[in-house]
Amino acid sequence: MFTLTNSLLVITATTTALIAGLLYGYSCSVNLGLGRLPDAEYLAAMQSINSAIQNPLFFASFLGSLLLLPLSTYLHYAQPASTRFWFLLAATTVYLLTVFGVTVLGNVPLNEALESFNLPQASSDDIAIQRARFEKPWNYLHTMRTIGATLTIVLVIIACLYPKLAKVD
C-alpha cells in the first residue's frame, strides 16, 4: 500500500541507493583509472572531480539520504518498536557515521587541502609528496564510506521487506 510513509521510504531507499552506487562505481572504476595516472595528472584530475561533484544532483541524494533516513526511521517508530524501525535506525546510524561523517571529517578536509595545492607552481618533488599525502588516505576513507553506504542500503532494503508492524521476537 502506498501511503505517504511508504512513499517516503521508497524515496529514502532510492537516494541511499544512488549514493551507494556512486561510491561503489567510483571504487570499481574511477579510483583504479586515476591510480594509473602520473602524479601531476592524478592531482589535476582529482581537483577537477572534487569540484565537479559539488552539484545539485549529488547534494540531493547525499544530503537527501541524511535527512530522509532519520525521517523514515521516525515515521516507523511505534511502541513496541517494529523490526522495520530497528533496521531503519541501524541504517540511519551507519549512514551518519560512515558515509556523512567520514566524508565531512575525512574526505572533505583532504579535498580542501588538495584544492589549495598550487599544482602549476609545484615542483615534481612537491607533486609527488602531495599525491602521497592525499591518495592513500583518501582511498582508505573512500573504502570505509563505500562499505558504509552499501551496508546502509542493505539495511534499508531489509527494512522494506518487513511488514510495518512486524515486531522483534
Side-chain angles (χ1 to χ4, degrees):
M1 170 189 276
F2 277 97
T3 64
L4 178 61
T5 300
N6 286 339
S7 297
L8 188 63
L9 184 57
V10 168
I11 296 167
T12 301
T14 302
T15 60
T16 305
L18 289 170
I19 288 300
L22 171 77
L23 296 174
Y24 174 76
Y26 205 93
S27 293
C28 296
S29 60
V30 177
N31 281 346
L32 299 175
L34 291 173
R36 295 177 179 170
L37 294 175
D39 294 343
E41 287 82 357
Y42 171 86
L43 294 178
M46 285 301 294
Q47 285 177 333
S48 180
I49 290 168
N50 289 337
S51 174
I53 196 144
Q54 296 180 49
N55 66 71
L57 288 174
F58 169 74
F59 286 123
S61 53
F62 183 72
L63 297 176
S65 294
L66 181 67
L67 299 172
L68 292 170
L69 281 162
L71 179 59
S72 288
T73 303
Y74 173 78
L75 291 174
H76 287 89
Y77 178 75
Q79 281 296 346
S82 68
T83 303
R84 180 180 282 183
F85 166 79
W86 289 113
F87 277 109
L88 289 171
L89 182 61
T92 298
T93 303
V94 169
Y95 189 88
L96 178 64
L97 295 175
T98 65
V99 180
F100 185 76
V102 169
T103 299
V104 170
L105 298 175
N107 292 91
V108 169
L110 288 169
N111 293 346
E112 289 171 347
L114 181 60
E115 182 61 30
S116 68
F117 182 72
N118 189 344
L119 188 57
Q121 301 295 321
S123 70
S124 297
D125 288 343
D126 291 339
I127 291 170
I129 291 167
Q130 180 62 33
R131 182 175 184 167
R133 285 184 187 151
F134 179 84
E135 184 176 22
K136 189 173 180 179
W138 195 94
N139 285 341
Y140 173 77
L141 293 168
H142 181 76
T143 299
M144 287 177 51
R145 62 190 184 162
T146 301
I147 292 167
T150 303
L151 178 57
T152 300
I153 191 58
V154 167
L155 291 167
V156 171
I157 290 168
I158 293 169
C160 290
L161 295 174
Y162 273 91
K164 185 175 181 180
L165 300 175
K167 306 292 187 267
V168 176
D169 294 329

